């Protein structure tokens, strides 16, 4: 059995329109959400052996603001990757790691979470992930595999899903009017 965590980067900063997408940082709400999710991940327990992450600035800053400290492997191919690319990337991971936290972007992380859940394992958490995977959302899947090279669609069960707004309503959607 392997365990996979999926953490989407926190809310990014759009103030400087001269920056490339890859170089955008976090806004104040994003830094707060990243700290909150880092605290939540630590409270959930279950150590992560490593982080596999997109090298985009907003992902690096999310990790930094979260306060999570563990070995990180940045992978260019994780930047804006789709589900199939993320599966291929995870297939290359060392089997010494039983628990990997994958940090990246949408829609790839949401697609991956949905693709990995076996049809007979769909639950209320699956329905929530299907609706939306907002910034700084965190999901945990238990995978019925012994080797990362065996990771494929339908091999998992979603056992946890949390969004910043679940932990602090002020981090929920901004309402206008």
């Amino acid at each position: 059995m392997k365990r996979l965590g999926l953490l989407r980067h926190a809310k990014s900063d759009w103030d400087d329109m001269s920056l490339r997408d890859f170089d955008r940082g976090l806004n104040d709400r994003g830094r707060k959400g990243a700290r909150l999710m880092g605290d939540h991940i630590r409270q959930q327990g279950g150590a992560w052996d490593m982080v596999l992450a997109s090298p985009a600035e907003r992902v690096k800053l999310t990790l930094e603001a979260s306060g999570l400290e563990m070995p990180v492997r940045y992978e260019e191919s994780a930047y804006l990757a789709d589900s199939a690319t993320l599966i291929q990337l995870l297939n290359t991971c060392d089997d010494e790691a039983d628990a990997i936290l994958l940090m990246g972007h949408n829609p790839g992380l949401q697609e991956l979470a949905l693709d990995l859940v076996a049809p007979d394992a769909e639950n209320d958490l699956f329905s929530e992930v299907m609706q939306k995977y907002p910034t700084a959302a965190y999901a945990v899947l238990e995978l019925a595999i012994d080797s990362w090279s065996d990771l494929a669609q339908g091999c998992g069960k979603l056992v946890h899903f949390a969004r910043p707004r679940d932990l602090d309503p002020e981090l929920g959607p901004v309402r206008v009017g």
Side-chain angles (χ1 to χ4, degrees), residues 33-81:
R35 278 191 301 277
L36 188 65
M37 294 312 290
D39 290 343
H40 176 74
I41 291 167
R42 279 187 293 282
Q43 290 168 2
Q44 288 295 304
W48 297 101
D49 297 316
M50 68 171 290
V51 175
L52 185 60
S54 159
E57 187 67 12
R58 61 191 178 276
V59 173
K60 290 178 177 180
L61 292 174
T62 298
L63 182 58
E64 180 181 308
S66 74
L68 297 171
E69 295 185 15
M70 61 198 78
V72 182
R73 185 176 115 199
Y74 291 105
E75 287 288 340
E76 292 288 333
S77 63
Y79 175 62
L80 301 180

Side-chain angles (χ1 to χ4, degrees), residues 113-127 130 142 144 152-159:
L114 298 174
D115 286 348
L116 291 178
V117 174
D120 64 345
E122 292 179 11
N123 55 22
D124 291 342
L125 296 176
F126 180 88
S127 297
M130 190 182 309
E142 291 178 350
Q153 291 188 8
C155 71
K157 177 181 179 182
L158 192 59
V159 296

Side-chain angles (χ1 to χ4, degrees), residues 6 46-47 51 64 80 87 93 99 101 105-106 147 149 166 174-175:
L6 304 175
V51 175
E64 180 181 308
L80 301 180
I87 288 174
C93 289
L101 180 60
H105 313 270
N106 246 14
S147 173
S149 63
D166 298 329
V174 177
R175 307 236 187 262

